[in-house]
Amino acid sequence: MMLSPDQAADSDQPSSAPSDPESLAGTDAKGLLGCCGSDPEPAEEEEGGKGGGRAALHPPPLSREEKRRRRRATAKYRSAHATRERIRVEAFNLAFAELRKLLPTLPPDKKLSKIEILRLAICYISYLNHVLDV
């Protein structure tokens, strides 16, 4: 048998508790705050109106991972990261170009992929070692 959300909420609460939507929403909100790590407050303070705005004024402390995510979400951070990545890729490509100039190929101006450059460099180093050993 499947219960509707109202029936499920009614069955979880004692029979003396009110079952109107506002009181149920307040109970759910208290339960959610309790599971998110914030300090649970006594029911008298929240219902009396003393602590009603506390959650908005003092959000729960952020974890290290959440702080990192928020910092990385800023436009300034993304722009700086994109600049650093562009510089890194340019340096990487220059290093491959310099390595390519040192490798013998026919024709000499043949365009090679990065993996082909690495494989050719490995073979060429092996060849040079063999020449030195003989």
Side-chain angles (χ1 to χ4, degrees):
M1 174 174 146
M2 186 151 218
L3 298 176
S4 71
D6 292 334
Q7 292 171 336
D10 287 342
S11 65
D12 291 343
Q13 294 189 5
S15 60
S16 62
S19 61
D20 61 288
E22 289 179 2
S23 65
L24 289 176
T27 303
D28 291 342
K30 288 179 214 170
L32 289 175
L33 287 176
C35 73
C36 294
S38 64
D39 296 327
E41 295 182 25
E44 299 86 39
E45 288 183 9
E46 287 185 8
E47 290 174 5
K50 294 179 184 176
R54 180 178 174 154
L57 295 176
H58 302 287
L62 299 175
S63 67
R64 179 182 291 172
E65 184 64 27
E66 183 62 27
K67 287 178 185 176
R68 184 179 302 138
R69 281 189 194 127
R70 287 189 182 188
R71 183 178 68 243
R72 288 180 178 175
T74 63
K76 182 179 175 182
Y77 181 89
R78 287 193 310 267
S79 174
H81 178 71
T83 302
R84 286 191 308 269
E85 180 66 10
R86 197 174 308 112
I87 291 168
R88 186 192 70 82
V89 169
E90 287 173 5
F92 188 76
N93 289 335
L94 280 174
F96 268 103
E98 289 177 25
L99 179 60
R100 169 63 190 90
K101 289 177 189 175
L102 299 173
L103 299 173
T105 57
L106 288 174
D109 59 344
K110 182 180 179 194
K111 177 75 174 159
L112 298 172
S113 70
K114 291 173 183 173
I115 190 70
E116 290 171 333
I117 292 171
L118 291 175
R119 287 180 178 149
L120 186 58
I122 291 169
C123 290
Y124 189 55
I125 291 169
S126 296
Y127 168 75
L128 292 176
N129 279 333
H130 177 70
V131 169
L132 288 175
D133 289 343
V134 171

